[in-house]
């Protein structure tokens, strides 16, 4: 039986609306650190077995949670658990910084980058490009119904990066102005598809039609070692407006043929042959 403190943390993750797979992986690793402080021996071992089942259920679409539970051993030793969780947290931070450095080289002065939703990896790319003195503009969707794009707009404003917010329905119109498209990813499948916030696929199609190179930024722990694109469970969250039920599937799947490359801490990989 998981301690109440862990159950509470998992519930916080489950109801989160803005942050994506990297944040989920970080909070999951922090849950393991907390577990190492609370339990030991057989109680710890049993709890870790339960975490292996429960943590991926928080959001089945996110490969980061699956890879995290596979990274953590089933052990009765709190010290070993703590060291593995801390190692995963280090990997998260190091990967994000390296993605920022690699991805920023795609951005030149005068570029207009279009993006969708909020990705900490994409934000790191923008931050690194700004730090390198690049002058560019970001077009970002508001990303309804949770409006993750507005959270990104706040970050860009604080960084002094020029941006323009558009409604999701205008990606076809504004992709014509972009020189580059860059999104995050909650999952990269074995066959090279990018699973991300719903609306990513339409953006990729619009960019393909307008000759705009489309990239995704994803740490290697977001690559699912087992799932193909047709096997991904796409989570749907209840949503209503003005008394009407509105379908609200949270993610969509962008086929590899629309993706120029996936920016990882290991370099830019070209799907599907390099996945």
């Amino acid at each position: 039986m998981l301690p109440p403190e862990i159950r509470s943390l998992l519930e916080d993750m489950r109801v989160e609306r803005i942050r994506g797979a990297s944040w989920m992986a970080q909070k999951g690793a922090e849950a393991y650190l907390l577990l190492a402080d609370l339990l030991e021996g057989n109680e710890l071992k049993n709890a870790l077995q339960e975490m292996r089942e429960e943590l991926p259920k928080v959001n089945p679409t996110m490969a980061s949670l699956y890879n995290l539970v596979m990274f953590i051993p089933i052990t009765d030793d709190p010290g070993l658990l703590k060291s593995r969780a801390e190692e995963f947290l280090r990997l998260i931070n190091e990967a994000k910084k390296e993605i920022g450095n690699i991805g920023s080289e795609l951005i030149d002065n005068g570029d207009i980058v279009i993006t969708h939703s909020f990705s900490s990896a994409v934000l790191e790319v923008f931050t690194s490009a700004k730090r390198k003195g690049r002058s560019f503009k970001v077009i970002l969707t508001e990303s309804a119904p949770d409006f993750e794009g507005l959270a990104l707009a706040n970050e860009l404003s604080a960084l002094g990066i020029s941006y323009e917010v558009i409604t999701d329905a205008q990606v076809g119109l504004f992709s014509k102005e972009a020189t580059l498209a860059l999104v995050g990813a909650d999952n990269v499948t074995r066959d090279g598809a990018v699973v991300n916030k719903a609306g990513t696929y339409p953006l990729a199609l619009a960019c393909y039609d307008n000759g705009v190179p489309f990239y995704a930024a994803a740490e290697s722990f977001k690559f699912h070692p087992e799932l193909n694109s047709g096997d991904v469970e796409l989570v749907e969250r209840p949503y209503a407006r003005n008394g009407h039920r509105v379908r609200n599937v949270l993610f969509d799947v962008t086929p590899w043929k629309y993706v120029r490359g996936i920016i990882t801490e290991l370099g830019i990989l070209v799907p599907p042959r390099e996945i």
Side-chain angles (χ1 to χ4, degrees):
M1 191 72 175
L2 291 175
E5 298 93 331
I6 302 299
R7 288 284 179 192
S8 176
L9 201 156
L10 295 183
E11 185 57 28
D12 288 343
M13 294 169 64
R14 190 172 286 110
V15 301
E16 171 59 35
R17 296 290 188 267
I18 303 299
R19 300 176 181 89
S22 297
W23 182 87
M24 286 285 193
Q26 179 178 327
K27 297 307 288 187
E30 290 172 1
Y32 281 116
L33 288 177
L34 180 57
L35 202 56
D37 290 335
L38 294 173
L39 300 177
E40 61 183 9
N42 283 334
E43 285 187 336
L44 176 59
K45 196 170 185 179
N46 291 337
L48 288 172
Q49 191 65 57
E50 190 173 354
M51 282 284 280
R52 188 160 285 190
E53 298 292 326
E54 292 297 319
L55 190 53
K57 291 179 183 177
V58 168
N59 194 316
T61 307
M62 293 183 174
S64 60
L65 297 180
Y66 174 86
N67 287 321
L68 171 59
V69 299
M70 292 296 104
F71 187 83
I72 300 295
I74 305 298
T75 179
D76 58 4
D77 181 0
L80 175 58
L81 171 59
K82 186 174 183 180
S83 67
R84 290 290 280 179
E86 288 174 341
E87 182 180 354
F88 198 88
L89 286 170
R90 283 195 297 273
L91 290 173
I92 290 175
N93 292 328
E94 290 170 3
K96 193 176 299 181
K97 289 178 182 177
E98 191 58 30
I99 285 173
N101 183 50
I102 294 171
S104 63
E105 292 303 310
L106 295 173
I107 300 176
D108 294 322
N109 285 326
D111 271 349
I112 299 175
V113 186
I114 190 166
T115 189
H116 177 62
S117 191
F118 183 102
S119 162
S120 57
V122 170
L123 178 59
E124 191 66 34
V125 171
F126 293 153
T127 303
S128 181
K130 175 71 173 179
R131 191 182 302 122
K132 292 177 180 179
R134 310 283 163 74
S135 177
F136 59 99
K137 176 183 174 182
V138 177
I139 297 175
L140 59 147
T141 62
E142 60 181 358
S143 308
D146 294 319
F147 301 104
E148 297 97 324
L150 301 184
L152 177 59
N154 290 335
E155 297 285 351
L156 297 178
S157 178
L159 290 167
I161 295 174
S162 176
Y163 67 91
E164 187 172 21
V165 182
I166 63 173
T167 63
D168 297 3
Q170 295 181 92
V171 291
L173 179 64
F174 280 88
S175 62
K176 297 175 182 178
E177 298 184 9
T179 55
L180 175 71
L182 178 59
V183 299
D186 293 287
N187 191 332
V188 179
T189 64
R190 286 180 61 191
D191 52 347
V194 170
V195 183
N196 195 47
K197 162 88 174 186
T200 300
Y201 184 25
L203 174 59
L205 290 172
C207 289
Y208 183 81
D209 196 46
N210 288 290
V212 178
F214 182 94
Y215 289 85
E219 300 90 345
S220 60
F221 58 78
K222 294 178 182 175
F223 286 61
H224 204 296
E226 297 183 0
L227 291 184
N228 288 318
S229 54
D231 303 322
V232 178
E233 180 180 348
L234 298 177
V235 176
E236 183 168 3
R237 181 180 295 145
Y239 182 68
R241 177 172 289 181
N242 296 333
H244 299 282
R245 177 184 177 236
V246 181
R247 295 297 302 273
N248 184 31
V249 180
L250 300 184
F251 305 92
D252 61 21
V253 180
T254 300
W256 64 264
K257 64 182 179 179
Y258 301 116
V259 182
R260 178 73 61 88
I262 300 175
I263 307 163
T264 77
E265 72 272 23
L266 308 174
I268 299 178
L269 307 182
V270 178
R273 66 178 183 269
E274 295 179 347
I275 301 302

